[in-house]
Amino acid sequence: MSDPIKHECGVALLRLRKSPQYYIDKYGTPAYAAKKMYILMQKQHNRGQDGVGVANIKLNMPAGTRYISRYRTTNQQPIDEIFGKISKKYNKAQKEGKEQFYNAQWMKENYAFTGEVWLGHLRYGTHGKNNIESCHPFLRQNNWRSRNLVMAGNFNMTNVDELFDKLVTLGQHPKEKVDTVTVMEKIGHFLDEANQAIFDQYRGKKTNQEITDVIEDEIDLRRVLEKSCRDFDGGYTMTGMVGYGASFVARDPNGIRPAYYYADDDVVVVASEKPAIKTAFDCHYDDIQEIKPGHALIIEKDGSYREEQFIQPKERKSCSFERIYFSRGTDPDIYNERRKLGELLIPSVLKAVNFDLKNTVFSYIPNTAETSFLGLLRGIDNYLIEKRKDIILQNKPSVESLEELLSFRPRVEKLVLKDAKLRTFITDDQHRDDLVAHVYDTTFEVIKKKTDTLVVIDDSIVRGTTLEKSILTLLDRLEPKKVVIVSSAPQIRFPDCYGIDMSKMKEFVAFRAVLALLKDHNKEYLLDEVYEKCLAAGSDRNQPNYVKELYEPFTYEQVSEKITDIVRPKNMKAELEVVYQTVPDLHKACPNHPGDWYFTGDYPTPGGNRVVNKAFVNFMKGVTVRAY
């Protein structure tokens, strides 16, 4: 229900393991790889709508011919635009080449995007300008094939300044101080170093042309990543292609950002989400593997692949928020986790409606909350089964009351619908808020006025602004007795710094609530105390998360009650209660994904604590920029 959150990007890497002619003969088209990439990216479009990029490398091309192709765009419908352009190339080739269209070598020699190695990226811009120069993949060019580097990733680094300074120390002159460029130049530096070491080893023993082939056979990408990533602080899945055809996907040591792969005799494919691979290649879910934290999947020029550790793995902290909201719910594990999140909310919901299910209506907003809603209904059904057993065994009801008891079902209605065609294009704040209130429509005359309680579940409540300015006003027009807003995620108290656009403290309704509680309890002096600690910590790598101290005086329920006061519209007549998932129940629902720093402030890297403390300093200074 809150304002849209920009978040983790998506990646797709595809390597054909056989000659391109094989795929033409088998599938009847040279566009096999392009079609598979299109599916991989469409099935991850939820991960990025600000920009899209695709790059392709052709293997074993003669000198003097282009072997790297790249398209990027920030226009609307970016996936369709890019693959539309690629499709035009194939249509032109078929028209001009006629039978040669089915000759793989001719296609490679004459048309772009006909190579064996593909890399795609979907971008959500968490900061900075949304222009084509910000779109991945990035390209680091060189006349030596083995020094060309194409990179894309799903990552944010917390220590960009430190990494930038190290590049300068190495003698480089980076053109930008952003994590994407910094990461690519760092890896590029050690790729150059590896090239030079092999060249020096064979200098005078072989011709330069022969050394080029040796470099491509002997270069150790695992070692390149080991040297490059040892001082990275952040969450990352970094994908790269080297000009001669090798490629890699490296995952951070805590496993914060996701990466999955599938391999058979024909392909090796990597994506940020399993359903994309499943749909594109119709493989079994059990055959899709997770790249382990601190490991890289390395695909060599000959198509062989291996998963190798390049950095010491740390405590697993894969992102739970991704499971709650961002990833596609068609992944069976994510589907079950979201359903469990809804089911575990039953005790709190029953208490909020005073166990009066007869006069309670259940609904959900937005559509992504449907799975947790189904879990909530399953929990209600289980509760009713137990209650029926108790009544039947203990009270021996009459035939009429037994029939009523057995036929009772929870009341479910679609109460709020979003009008996707209504755009909030008015720019001034006063009139934008008025228009936001009309983005949603509500269903009238299905609620018993002054009698029913409405229970509406959402994935998460981050900022609370849409609740306050729109949803609750709409629901109140139905004239219920009470409205219960339920979040399947716990209270979001702390900023993210690993790929989700939640970096400003004052935007969190939970933080606004704790500010109000501090004022109510005459504890505002804690703001100054924490501020001084954060200032004193500076850039200390081992500083704790001091912002936790602001929440410690208050119970979880007190914060929820204050959030209820904050989001309640001034003229709302119905009672209101906001119910949040608990952190212990979050871990019960998502036991394999314990990354919970949004809710607990327990960051998996030292940079996380620096970011949250800096975000608080920014708040106290009135600075509205991100803290990393």
Side-chain angles (χ1 to χ4, degrees), residues 322-437:
E322 168 149 351
R323 316 293 289 185
I324 296 167
Y325 178 55
F326 295 127
S327 293
R328 293 176 74 89
T330 50
D331 182 308
D333 293 333
I334 292 175
Y335 182 87
N336 288 328
E337 289 164 6
R338 290 180 180 176
R339 191 169 60 180
K340 190 66 174 177
L341 285 167
E343 191 174 344
L344 289 170
L345 284 161
I346 289 303
S348 299
V349 169
L350 288 173
K351 182 179 178 182
V353 302
N354 199 27
F355 296 86
D356 182 11
L357 294 179
K358 186 175 182 179
N359 295 307
T360 299
V361 177
F362 296 91
S363 192
Y364 62 92
I365 312 170
N367 289 338
T368 52
E370 183 176 8
T371 307
S372 57
F373 173 71
L374 294 175
L376 186 69
L377 293 182
R378 172 185 280 193
I380 293 293
D381 285 339
N382 292 337
Y383 167 78
L384 289 172
I385 289 171
E386 293 302 317
K387 291 297 294 182
R388 288 172 182 135
K389 284 165 57 177
D390 291 344
I391 292 172
I392 291 171
L393 292 174
Q394 296 175 18
N395 297 338
K396 298 180 180 180
S398 65
V399 173
E400 293 79 10
S401 61
L402 181 62
E403 182 176 349
E404 180 183 358
L405 179 67
L406 293 177
S407 63
F408 179 79
R409 294 289 182 273
R411 293 167 60 198
V412 175
E413 303 290 353
K414 184 70 173 176
L415 295 178
V416 178
L417 303 89
K418 188 171 184 178
D419 187 351
K421 295 180 180 179
L422 188 59
R423 307 285 183 184
T424 54
F425 58 87
I426 299 176
T427 55
D428 64 282
D429 291 341
Q430 178 183 352
H431 294 92
R432 185 194 295 115
D433 289 348
D434 180 62
L435 191 58
V436 164

Side-chain angles (χ1 to χ4, degrees), residues 145-164:
R145 192 164 57 182
S146 55
R147 294 179 185 240
N148 277 283
L149 180 63
V150 186
M151 279 200 63
N154 168 14
F155 63 87
N156 265 8
M157 298 298 169
T158 69
N159 61 334
V160 175
D161 290 344
E162 176 186 335
L163 295 174
F164 180 89

Side-chain angles (χ1 to χ4, degrees), residues 32-319:
Y32 168 81
K35 290 180 178 179
K36 293 298 185 183
M37 278 298 294
Y38 176 71
I39 295 171
L40 285 170
M41 296 186 71
Q42 277 288 11
K43 292 303 177 180
Q44 297 184 97
H45 74 272
N46 53 298
R47 303 188 72 86
Q49 299 166 20
D50 289 340
V52 165
V54 174
N56 178 242
I57 289 181
K58 304 174 187 177
L59 301 183
N60 303 314
M61 296 300 290
T65 57
R66 288 187 176 273
Y67 58 95
I68 300 178
S69 308
R70 179 179 61 156
Y71 278 152
R72 298 179 296 173
T73 182
T74 57
N75 295 336
Q76 291 188 356
Q77 306 297 323
I79 300 174
D80 287 340
E81 178 183 333
I82 280 185
F83 282 93
K85 292 171 70 174
I86 293 173
S87 179
K88 286 181 180 179
K89 289 188 177 294
Y90 280 93
N91 292 337
K92 182 180 179 182
Q94 187 171 27
K95 181 179 179 180
E96 294 178 348
K98 297 182 173 57
E99 290 303 316
Q100 291 282 59
F101 179 68
Y102 300 99
N103 182 323
Q105 190 60 35
W106 182 84
M107 288 290 290
K108 285 177 64 174
E109 291 174 358
N110 291 279
Y111 292 93
F113 294 97
T114 54
E116 295 90 335
V117 196
W118 293 72
L119 176 58
H121 185 265
L122 303 109
R123 179 177 187 265
Y124 258 128
T126 55
H127 73 288
K129 297 179 180 178
N130 187 37
N131 55 36
I132 197 166
E133 295 303 319
S134 301
C135 277
H136 305 203
F138 283 70
L139 175 58
R140 191 176 191 265
Q141 292 181 293
N142 194 285
N143 254 7
W144 286 69
R145 192 164 57 182
S146 55
R147 294 179 185 240
N148 277 283
L149 180 63
V150 186
M151 279 200 63
N154 168 14
F155 63 87
N156 265 8
M157 298 298 169
T158 69
N159 61 334
V160 175
D161 290 344
E162 176 186 335
L163 295 174
F164 180 89
D165 291 342
K166 289 193 175 184
L167 287 178
V168 174
T169 302
L170 291 170
Q172 293 192 20
H173 190 87
K175 63 180 180 179
E176 291 182 79
K177 189 187 281 191
V178 294
D179 54 5
T180 308
V181 173
T182 304
V183 165
M184 183 179 68
E185 291 300 335
K186 188 92 182 297
I187 295 174
H189 168 80
F190 288 106
L191 181 64
D192 287 345
E193 190 179 77
N195 271 266
Q196 193 63 47
I198 298 173
F199 184 85
D200 291 342
Q201 180 183 348
Y202 290 96
R203 187 198 304 265
K205 301 175 185 178
K206 295 178 180 290
T207 68
N208 284 4
Q209 287 180 312
E210 289 173 335
I211 295 176
T212 294
D213 294 331
V214 173
I215 288 173
E216 295 181 359
D217 290 336
E218 294 190 3
I219 201 162
D220 185 353
L221 291 180
R222 188 209 66 81
R223 182 64 175 152
V224 170
L225 291 170
E226 180 184 43
K227 290 183 175 181
S228 305
C229 303
R230 58 179 48 148
D231 51 5
F232 288 173
D233 188 301
Y236 57 82
T237 292
M238 293 184 295
T239 58
M241 303 187 296
V242 187
Y244 63 89
S247 53
F248 62 84
V249 181
R251 195 172 180 210
D252 68 81
N254 295 104
I256 296 171
R257 298 276 73 89
Y260 302 92
Y261 75 95
Y262 164 76
D264 59 24
D265 291 341
D266 290 357
V267 299
V268 181
V269 57
V270 181
S272 296
E273 299 196 28
K274 288 195 285 187
I277 298 174
K278 166 68 176 174
T279 302
F281 294 92
D282 194 27
C283 54
H284 294 292
Y285 262 105
D286 291 343
D287 292 331
I288 302 173
Q289 305 297 314
E290 181 180 18
I291 297 176
K292 294 186 288 291
H295 287 64
L297 183 71
I298 297 173
I299 309 169
E300 297 290 3
K301 180 181 179 180
D302 63 3
S304 62
Y305 67 94
R306 64 189 184 278
E307 187 178 358
E308 288 192 317
Q309 180 181 315
F310 69 94
I311 195 169
Q312 183 63 40
K314 300 178 181 178
E315 182 182 2
R316 182 183 175 90
K317 288 290 184 178
S318 50
C319 174

